[in-house]
Structure formats: structure tokens, C-alpha cells
Amino acid sequence: MAVGFDVWPDVKAVKGFRLGTAEAGIRKTNRRDLVVMEWDEGASVAGVFTLNKFCAAPVHLAKGRLNQSPRCFVINTGNANAGTGQQGMEAAKESTAGVAELLNIPSESVLPFSTGVIGEQLPVDRLLAGSPAAVADLSEEGWYKAGEGILTTDTRPKGASRQFEVDGVVYTVSGISKGSGMIRPNMATMLAFMATDVPAAQPLLQKLLNDAVNLSFNRISVDGDTSTNDCCMLVATGKTGSEPLNSEASDLYVGLRQAVNEVAVELAQAIVRDGEGASKFITVSVEQADTSADALEVAYTIAHSPLVKTALFASDPNWGRILAAVGRAEVNTLVIERITIWLGDVCIVENGEPAASYTEAAGQAVMDKDEITIRVALGAGDVCEQIWTTDLSHEYVRINAEYRS
């Protein structure tokens, strides 16, 4: 039931960044479920990780190894290796050691990532058995197969790419993501991997990634849950150009920032479009807020409301549910008489009262669309924030009820 585009985009190869996949049978047979990503020494690597306190063993390990000159990611699906205690940590270490041996690099330079069922021990023997095939498959052209290899309940691989030119040199940013359910900010049950050939110093790359995540992956919600395994990684191979980027005051930084932001937003929106059981793609835009925190509080209160989400699924212009969600948002400075709300381009509330121009037919015409914007003006300031979410369908319940079967 994914919404919108279902054609794999033209994801460009990134010089010096190689991807390989294999069918390891981690949980199911006859599907790609093991991915290895590898690059040369000297690259910079940045990462953002879940804030869930029960974060998985691979998250702990990847975070701890981020400053140890990473050379490789190993990603498995079907098993989250979360809630698995010390045995899970040993399994993560064993899996990275096996891949490191194949690549002849230190095990500390391999960062693990897992996604799938929580609370089950990782079948390390299957992962290790599949690793040689994934390493043998390494190629700069491997983005599509890797996009398939990281999926769980997703219905399609998600990729994005941008190229930009500075002083006659063309640079590339490409990436893939996965995620469909257990999606909300502070990362979601999602993995995202981006790479660029720009030579960039790690501190600057980390700042750039933090900013991009806050504009993209931390602006999406499907069901309000936060996973144990979320990660977003950015690798700068430095294979194009010569001088390392270490200042924000340069055309190269501006170009890279825009490209990374655009790739991240496209990948984040693709996760929402492919949300479990989703039939609608919803943009919630809150403007005229006093602070960013106020705008996001209102936006997420709307996006997380089961009543709003089920009305959207039913294409029911029951706009009172939106009004109620705005009113219960934890913003102390809300002044109802200043608030105006639109459903698409149809005004439903004006200065805190039902809009005189509103008609049920106009509201129905908006709700019948696959892509809908809910816009709220708070009349309190000049801050605007946007997030993206989905409706809540019967199919979402079915998918999650049958997840382990």
C-alpha cells in the first residue's frame, strides 16, 4: 500500500564506496538479508544513533567504534540483536570479526547494524556463512541490491542521489534507507546509509549529518514508536578532489550540505510513503509559532493522534479531530483565537472558529487525495516546521499482528 513513486531512482556510484549482498538465511530463505559496505583507508565517517535506552548490541558497538577509523559496515536483516544481553554483544563482535578477516582489516574498524525481530539471539553461524558471498559481491554499482538487502516489512527499496559541481569538479552524494513501522523521531526503526566522494574532515561531516538528520529522519512518524536499532551513517571517501573540506565558509561545503540534506529528506519521505499499511502521505506544517519546539509539539500531536490518522485512512473530513489535537498540544502559550487551520487549501478553522467559507464537499475533495497537507498557523511568531506522517489502516494492524509468523 505504499504511496507515490515506486520506481528505483538513478542512484549514482560513489567513488571508493563498495556494496555487496548475500542471501544468508538470517530469518527467511531466498532473499537478500546480508549487506557489506566497504571503503579505503583515510575516509571520514559520521553517525547518528537511536536514543532508545534499550538500544541494540550492534548500536553500542558501532557507536564505540565510530572513532576507530571505520572501514566497513556489515548489516543484517531479520534479527535486531536487541534485548539479547551479553550474548548479543558477543554475537555482534563475532560477526564483525568474521568480515574483518575476509577484508584483511582490523575487527574494530567494522561497524555492525541489525534490524528485525527484537529479543532473539543473532544466528551468527548463518551470518558468517553468508559473509564470503557478500564480500565477493562488493561493487560501486551495488546500491540497488543493497537497498533490497536491508529491507524488513518494507515493500520496496529506497534510494536517492544528488550530484553538484564546484570549480568544474562534479561530486556525488548517494544513499539508501529502510523503515516502514516503529517510526518516529529520535530516529525510528530505520537504517540509512549515505556516501559521498567529497574529502571532508570528520568533525565537519558529523555536524553536517546531525543537521541533515534533524531536518529529515527526525521529522517523520508512522506510528509513534522509537526503535532500538536506528542508525544513520555518512561516509566521505575523499576520492574526488584533493583538499579536505574543513570549513563551512566554502562553496564545497554549501554544495555538500545541500546535497546531503536533499538526499536525507528524500530517503526519509520514502520511509513514510512506504509506511506499514500506508495509503496516504501526510505533510503537517505548523507556522507562525513562537519557537521550533512549539511548532513541532503541535505537529507531532496531530501526527500521532490515532483519531486523526484513522479519519485520514477513511478519507473522512472529520476536521474536529485535527482541532482537538491542536488544542491538547503541550504548548502553554497557545491562544485559540489566533489559530487558523487548513486542510489542503481549504480553510477549516479561522481565528479559532469554524471558517465561514468551509463546506463538507470542499473538505471531502481534499481527503480523497493520496497526498494531503494539514497546515496550522498559531499566530504567535515567525517559526515554521514541517513533518511527514501517514494514515493508520487495517493493513498496519495486520502486518504487525503477523510480524513474527
Side-chain angles (χ1 to χ4, degrees), residues 60-189:
H60 281 293
L61 203 57
K63 288 173 68 175
R65 292 178 173 181
L66 188 60
N67 63 352
Q68 299 187 42
S69 302
R71 292 281 306 281
C72 174
F73 300 149
V74 56
I75 308 115
N76 75 269
T77 64
N79 185 297
N81 194 10
T84 49
Q86 187 57 37
Q87 185 177 341
M89 181 62 73
E90 294 305 316
K93 291 179 179 178
E94 189 176 351
S95 66
T96 58
V99 174
E101 185 176 356
L102 292 169
L103 294 171
N104 195 29
I105 59 177
S107 60
E108 293 76 14
S109 68
V110 180
L111 276 56
F113 303 88
S114 299
T115 182
V117 176
I118 295 170
E120 296 182 1
Q121 296 296 336
L122 181 69
V124 182
D125 55 339
R126 296 177 213 167
L127 192 152
L128 293 176
S131 296
V135 169
D137 190 51
L138 285 167
S139 165
E140 290 183 359
E141 309 296 331
W143 286 101
Y144 177 76
K145 290 194 295 183
E148 285 191 326
I150 63 174
L151 304 183
T152 49
T153 58
D154 311 61
T155 68
R156 60 197 185 194
K158 304 162 183 65
S161 197
R162 295 290 188 279
Q163 290 187 313
F164 63 99
E165 184 175 331
V166 177
D167 295 332
V169 179
V170 176
Y171 300 91
T172 302
V173 177
S174 293
I176 54 175
S177 65
K178 66 80 53 180
S180 194
M182 204 181 281
I183 301 292
R184 77 159 290 172
N186 295 328
M187 308 282 295
T189 197

Side-chain angles (χ1 to χ4, degrees), residues 327-343:
R328 68 178 173 84
E330 295 184 4
V331 177
N332 294 329
T333 57
L334 278 183
V335 178
I336 298 303
E337 291 76 17
R338 296 177 183 171
I339 295 175
T340 301
I341 306 173
W342 293 265
L343 187 60

Side-chain angles (χ1 to χ4, degrees), residues 3 10 23 65 85 92 94 147 150 154-155 221 246 280 287 303 305 308 316-317 333 348 358:
V3 183
D10 181 18
E23 296 179 5
R65 292 178 173 181
E94 189 176 351
I150 63 174
D154 311 61
T155 68
S221 175
N246 53 25
K280 295 182 186 291
E287 57 193 58
S305 167
V308 171
D316 178 10
T333 57
I348 56 179
Y358 176 77

